[in-house]
């Protein structure tokens, strides 16, 4: 049985690496996730959102503020 070639197989793509603010957001979010106590991620995200709305912080600034709070011993409440 003969099979005709359809075309060349494209080389696998490298994953797109974020740059700039997107990369900084990703790095900060990963640090916050690592610092968050087990089972408290929803509470951490609620605090990030609260800071964004109440204090008008950017997403990056809110994540950095919550990371600082976690580093100082703050434990977020369990979100419902």
């Amino acid at each position: 049985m003969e099979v005709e070639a359809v075309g060349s197989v494209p080389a696998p793509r490298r994953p797109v690496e974020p740059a700039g603010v997107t990369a900084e957001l990703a790095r900060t979010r990963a640090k916050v996730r690592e610092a968050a106590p087990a089972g408290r991620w929803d509470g951490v995200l609620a605090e990030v959102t609260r800071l964004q709305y109440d204090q008008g912080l950017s997403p990056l600034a809110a994540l950095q503020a919550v990371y600082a709070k976690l580093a100082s011993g703050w434990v977020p409440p369990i979100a419902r």
Side-chain angles (χ1 to χ4, degrees), residues 5 13 15 22 24-25 29-30 33-37 39 41 43 46 49 59 65 67-68 70 72 77 79-80:
R13 295 184 185 186
T22 303
E24 187 65 26
L25 265 170
R29 184 179 170 94
R33 186 107 157 120
E34 190 175 297
W41 182 241
T49 302
Y67 181 70
L70 287 167
S72 70
R80 298 175 197 200

Side-chain angles (χ1 to χ4, degrees), residues 15-55:
V16 176
E17 303 229 0
V21 174
T22 303
E24 187 65 26
L25 265 170
R27 282 191 298 271
T28 304
R29 184 179 170 94
K31 287 182 356 185
V32 171
R33 186 107 157 120
E34 190 175 297
R40 303 292 177 108
W41 182 241
D42 288 340
V44 168
L45 291 180
E47 181 66 6
V48 169
T49 302
R50 187 191 71 74
L51 290 173
Q52 284 180 279
Y53 287 106
D54 291 354
Q55 297 184 14

